[in-house]
Amino acid sequence: MSIKVGIPRALLYYYYHPQWVTFFRRLGVETLISQKTTRGLLDKGLKSTVDEACLPVKLAVGHVLDLRDRVDYLFLPRIVSTARKEYICPKFLGFPDMVRHTINNLPPIIDCNFNLYHKGSSSADFYFQVGKFFTRNPAKIIMAYNASKAALDKHNLDMQSDCLPQEHAAEGSADSNGINIAVIGHPYVIYDNYISMNMIKRLRDSGARVLTADHLPESVVREEAYRLPKKLFWTINQRMVGAAYHYFSREDVHGIIHVASFGCGPDSFTGELTERCARNGSNKPMLSLTVDEHTGEAGMVTRLEAFLDMVRWRRNMADAAATL
Amino acid sequence: MRVTYPHMGHMWICIKGMLEYLGVDVVIPPPSSKKTMQLGVKHSPEFACMPLKLNLGNFMEASQMGADTVVMAGGCGPCRFGYYAQVEHAILNDLGYQYQLVVLEPPQKHITELIGKIRYITQNRSWFKVIKGIRLGYLKASAVDKVEQRAYYSRPRELRPGATEQAVKKALAKIVAARTPEEMPAALDAALEIMNGVAVDQHRPVVRIGLVGEIFTLLEPFANMEIERKLGNMGVEVDRSIHLSEWINDHLFMGLIKNERSSKPAQEKGLAYLGHTVGGHGLETVGSTILYAEQGFDGVIQLLPFTCMPEIVAQSILPQVSSDLGIPVMTLIVDEQSGDAGMITRLEAFVDLLTMRGDTPQLKDRNFGVEECPQRMRGHTSA
Ligand code: SF4
Ligand code: SF4
């Protein structure tokens, strides 16, 4: 029977899962992804984390609990940094230890450091450390690593062409009566159907085309983010700000939805910077939502609908003005 | 140019000393108060951490007193502090405040950059003078630390209630009054003499508690609702894991001065539970808790502002440390609504628990982990 590694469907799973899964498969290791978020799963996470933690961390702990008794290893890489001189967030730095010291009866944890902070560092180092858990053959690791890189590249291109993680691939509703809405938020929030309350699908169902930071090449996002007075050292929030700035300046984008997570430190700053941008120098409608464990679906739906109505109304006005 | 900077406990004493020595016109904001907090809260992002809100309030109050330039420390992550200056500046700008901003970023390149910035504020004083000014600031910080440490000892043991408080005031005034590095040794001696003059009962039994957590909350009495004084009056001798001189040296003087105190031992200890630094003082919080347990302290209190990221990581780990090493740990979270009454109740309950354990040796050996210790409190200090 082959060894089974559990990967929580949380945090940077949304960016890296094709790479991780491919890497393990090439090493002959089976992977098990935790189930999709449900109320029950979230509740378990809430019970096992300190009250003050942000929603995504609580949710991630729920996913860990979902896997705990079903796998031989838990894959909880310590994502220190995914770009030079940047971090994701302090909680990513401590996540494996938070889990280790709050949850009992865990299988062994694979918590190697993924760290591209320093000049000359490479993701290969990380995969080598992980690979060593399962094989002594470096050639095998190299091959698995190369294949995994290709999988990641493909995933990134797919996202740019509207094939988002989970079942968020656009279902050919290309026409979308011409409304484009940008959704700005952490990938592990906006692509999680439960805590985002299916926002992307809802928007699509009501005829809007959804754009996220992941539709843009990294270079575009970074360039926009350089307009900030000082480089942001949180990679994902830098992406969010960069994408927001980009979409604010794009004619064909009709509204922007900013989704913050309750208790998120970086969001409290970048949300502020984004809103300021919206207020000074753009008249694009913007909706700011904060998701927390108590957010009611009904309230969110009402706000989304009201927002879409306003976007449509503005758009019609603009069209009318253009034909005058 | 009239320079101001945000409050953090007694930090104003050393910055004022340094800048005035260099001939800078300094505006010290009024001590942080409810009003400062209200001003800050009104204009800050709701979920920003509390120090940012108080900083902002300080700047608004200082502006009314004529300040036009802000000097503050920067950082390069991962915690929010590294972006404070920029967010605060954006907010102040939008509110119409015309502040010039000088951020002392950690030297990405070289210490000369820092000295260059200080020379800019000081309108090109000589390098020699600037370095002497930095030295004065540092001497003051370490003198303040020494006074505070004496106060930790005498507060729970003082014979006349309030004697320590009065002595601290007088001693700090001596340190404030020193104007050159040359005057500092005499000022320090005078300050310590005042502190030593507090009559104490050496044999009075005291409970010893280590204070760990987020630096601003630890150092700023308004933010921690004067926890050191409150505990002292309950008969507790406290010790604080981080001191002003350390922070000043690390963040403003970029480690230019060799510090007597260092956070190294705490960091090394912390690694046993937390495999990486997490920004702020998260790792030190874990490590200092271990050190306090090893030094036989009766308990540890962790202080943090609501939503503080590094401390939430530490908070998640402390129950394990507490249960492994048998030292009770209480977490106190402060926010803008925190009230005195709730805080006192919590502190009293914790001190009672520690006293009880101390009096009953069987209890002392028992493992006071999370599950076993119903009194362990978490959550807000707000009532
Ligand atoms: S970036 Fe925000 S949401 Fe993500 S782990 Fe950090 S605090 Fe939580
Ligand atoms: S240490 Fe905590 S309170 Fe201080 S800036 Fe960082 S997140 Fe905010």
Side-chain angles (χ1 to χ4, degrees):
Chain A
M1 221 179 69
S2 74
I3 302 171
K4 206 185 274 173
V5 170
I7 304 180
R9 191 189 294 271
L11 303 178
L12 288 193
Y13 160 86
Y14 293 96
Y15 279 168
Y16 291 111
H17 69 93
Q19 179 165 27
W20 293 344
V21 170
T22 309
F23 181 73
F24 285 121
R25 191 182 335 109
R26 289 295 174 115
L27 291 181
V29 175
E30 209 182 310
T31 50
L32 181 68
I33 315 275
S34 53
Q35 57 159 311
K36 288 193 181 146
T37 306
T38 59
R39 183 73 230 179
L41 184 145
L42 174 59
D43 279 342
K44 278 192 205 150
L46 296 179
K47 267 193 226 118
S48 309
T49 36
V50 295
D51 290 349
E52 291 70 29
C54 56
L55 181 65
V57 160
K58 294 176 176 171
L59 182 63
V61 170
H63 282 279
V64 167
L65 287 168
D66 179 58
L67 292 167
R68 177 176 60 179
D69 305 321
R70 302 194 280 147
V71 296
D72 304 307
Y73 287 93
L74 259 178
F75 185 59
L76 303 179
R78 189 192 307 276
I79 314 268
V80 176
S81 162
T82 60
R84 191 158 135 64
K85 292 213 159 180
E86 289 174 15
Y87 299 97
I88 305 289
C89 155
K91 288 178 202 162
F92 275 74
L93 293 166
F95 186 67
D97 300 300
M98 289 167 87
V99 169
R100 182 176 289 126
H101 296 302
T102 41
I103 297 176
N104 299 325
N105 305 324
L106 287 169
I109 295 178
I110 302 174
D111 66 345
C112 309
N113 292 357
F114 187 90
N115 189 351
L116 302 184
Y117 190 89
H118 298 286
K119 203 174 180 169
S121 47
S122 143
S123 60
D125 302 343
F126 166 77
Y127 286 96
F128 254 92
Q129 285 181 45
V130 177
K132 277 200 220 136
F133 275 77
F134 306 102
T135 173
R136 291 220 199 112
N137 180 352
K140 214 171 154 189
I141 302 183
I142 293 179
M143 273 159 57
Y145 172 65
N146 288 339
S148 79
K149 258 199 345 202
L152 180 67
D153 292 343
K154 179 173 178 308
H155 177 59
N156 288 341
L157 285 177
D158 283 352
M159 287 200 292
Q160 279 175 36
S161 51
D162 215 18
C163 177
L164 300 176
Q166 301 255 35
E167 69 274 26
H168 286 306
E171 289 126 21
S173 59
D175 167 45
S176 75
N177 61 34
I179 288 200
N180 295 322
I181 302 283
V183 175
I184 306 292
H186 285 104
Y188 41 85
V189 172
I190 59 177
Y191 301 138
D192 184 296
N193 296 342
Y194 184 81
I195 58 171
S196 74
M197 287 169 281
N198 259 321
M199 180 184 301
I200 293 181
K201 180 155 188 309
R202 273 177 214 282
L203 287 168
R204 282 185 177 151
D205 287 351
S206 55
R209 177 161 181 252
V210 174
L211 295 165
T212 70
D214 304 315
H215 286 85
L216 302 170
E218 190 174 330
S219 54
V220 171
V221 181
R222 284 195 175 268
E223 191 142 315
E224 294 278 351
Y226 285 147
R227 283 164 43 194
L228 287 165
K230 169 179 174 180
K231 183 182 149 179
L232 256 187
F233 38 72
W234 304 303
T235 308
I236 295 192
N237 284 76
Q238 189 198 65
R239 268 180 91 75
M240 288 162 58
V241 174
Y245 283 6
H246 173 84
Y247 289 129
F248 267 121
S249 63
R250 241 172 65 177
E251 291 274 308
D252 63 333
V253 172
H254 307 100
I256 304 216
I257 302 180
H258 185 273
V259 190
S261 346
F262 186 80
C264 172
D267 279 359
S268 69
F269 277 21
T270 53
E272 177 78 12
L273 296 169
T274 310
E275 268 183 46
R276 266 169 210 282
C277 166
R279 260 179 275 141
N280 319 333
S282 166
N283 55 0
K284 216 160 267 194
M286 172 170 163
L287 172 65
S288 291
L289 293 172
T290 302
V291 288
D292 70 20
E293 58 238 48
H294 315 293
T295 316
E297 190 152 323
M300 212 251 338
V301 173
T302 321
R303 292 190 65 189
L304 264 192
E305 275 166 6
F307 179 70
L308 280 177
D309 284 346
M310 174 170 69
V311 170
R312 285 205 190 90
W313 181 79
R314 284 237 195 146
R315 181 130 198 271
N316 293 340
M317 294 295 282
D319 283 351
T323 51
L324 278 183
Chain B
M1 179 156 55
R2 306 198 65 202
V3 176
T4 192
Y5 44 89
H7 272 302
M8 182 168 79
H10 297 307
M11 186 180 78
W12 65 273
I13 296 179
C14 23
I15 313 286
K16 177 177 186 295
M18 172 180 92
L19 292 178
E20 286 184 346
Y21 177 71
L22 297 172
V24 177
D25 190 359
V26 177
V27 179
I28 317 268
S32 292
S33 64
K34 284 229 164 69
K35 184 169 158 253
T36 319
M37 181 71 102
Q38 278 164 5
L39 280 173
V41 166
K42 188 161 171 215
H43 302 288
S44 308
E46 186 185 351
F47 293 113
C49 33
M50 185 177 65
L52 180 125
K53 298 177 182 174
L54 281 174
N55 281 185
L56 199 65
N58 288 152
F59 296 149
M60 294 167 78
E61 289 182 317
S63 159
Q64 282 165 10
M65 298 164 65
D68 56 21
T69 304
V70 163
V71 184
M72 63 181 294
C76 40
C79 115
R80 278 177 277 185
F81 185 70
Y83 223 77
Y84 261 34
Q86 287 69 26
V87 170
E88 289 166 357
H89 198 225
I91 298 174
L92 288 169
N93 257 345
D94 279 7
L95 291 173
Y97 289 88
Q98 304 289 330
Y99 262 124
Q100 164 106 0
L101 179 71
V102 180
V103 191
L104 306 178
E105 297 285 359
Q108 306 265 351
K109 292 191 199 99
H110 204 262
I111 182 76
T112 49
E113 233 176 284
L114 163 77
I115 299 181
K117 274 189 181 159
I118 296 185
R119 287 185 72 199
Y120 164 78
I121 313 167
T122 59
Q123 276 133 20
N124 290 322
R125 296 283 142 165
S126 78
W127 285 67
F128 180 67
K129 184 111 187 180
V130 170
I131 289 172
K132 268 184 84 179
I134 291 183
R135 180 157 173 76
L136 175 62
Y138 177 75
L139 286 175
K140 289 201 175 201
S142 83
V144 167
D145 287 346
K146 292 200 175 98
V147 167
E148 291 197 312
Q149 274 155 8
R150 299 289 156 115
Y152 298 159
Y153 176 82
S154 62
R155 243 186 228 118
R157 298 179 173 91
E158 63 191 11
L159 291 175
R160 189 172 57 77
T164 307
E165 241 32 70
Q166 281 172 356
V168 169
K169 264 204 196 112
K170 280 194 210 142
L172 291 181
K174 295 277 179 208
I175 299 171
V176 174
R179 305 178 48 167
T180 61
E182 290 76 25
E183 288 172 34
M184 270 313 292
L188 177 60
D189 284 348
L192 293 183
E193 203 181 305
I194 296 172
M195 293 310 296
N196 291 339
V198 178
V200 294
D201 172 0
Q202 286 181 16
H203 304 293
R204 192 180 289 172
V206 297
V207 168
R208 292 204 302 155
I209 295 182
L211 300 178
V212 302
E214 190 270 335
I215 172 117
F216 182 90
T217 320
L218 280 177
L219 293 189
E220 173 58 54
F222 175 75
N224 62 38
M225 292 173 284
E226 299 191 74
I227 189 169
E228 292 175 4
R229 193 176 55 76
K230 286 198 173 96
L231 285 171
N233 294 344
M234 292 176 195
V236 176
E237 179 178 342
V238 298
D239 185 60
R240 199 172 59 203
S241 58
I242 320 169
H243 285 78
L244 185 61
S245 56
E246 240 171 277
W247 189 87
I248 295 256
N249 194 33
D250 288 351
H251 288 81
L252 294 177
F253 303 159
M254 315 300 164
L256 193 64
I257 295 161
K258 242 179 104 58
N259 202 331
E260 302 140 33
R261 278 185 71 110
S262 145
S263 46
K264 261 254 163 67
Q267 288 174 350
E268 279 162 12
K269 282 282 172 193
L271 285 175
Y273 285 85
L274 178 54
H276 203 279
T277 54
V278 292
H281 288 81
L283 183 57
E284 286 86 343
T285 292
V286 176
S288 300
T289 304
I290 301 173
L291 285 173
Y292 283 133
E294 289 176 356
Q295 290 160 16
F297 273 68
D298 298 292
V300 167
I301 297 180
Q302 182 201 18
L303 279 164
L304 63 141
F306 187 50
T307 77
C308 170
M309 305 184 281
E311 293 300 328
I312 289 173
V313 175
Q315 184 195 357
S316 315
I317 293 170
L318 286 182
Q320 181 80 49
V321 178
S322 160
S323 121
D324 288 355
L325 304 181
I327 185 165
V329 176
M330 173 168 82
T331 293
L332 284 178
I333 295 165
V334 294
D335 66 9
E336 50 252 40
Q337 275 120 35
S338 297
D340 246 12
M343 167 101 156
I344 292 179
T345 321
R346 274 163 193 279
L347 291 181
E348 279 173 352
F350 190 60
V351 173
D352 283 352
L353 166 84
L354 300 184
T355 317
M356 231 170 58
R357 285 186 85 212
D359 293 346
T360 8
Q362 314 88 284
L363 272 179
K364 185 125 194 158
D365 295 332
R366 241 185 74 194
N367 201 338
F368 267 77
V370 220
E371 289 96 352
E372 289 175 84
C373 169
Q375 280 97 335
R376 182 180 174 274
M377 285 163 294
R378 46 158 77 152
H380 300 251
T381 55
S382 48

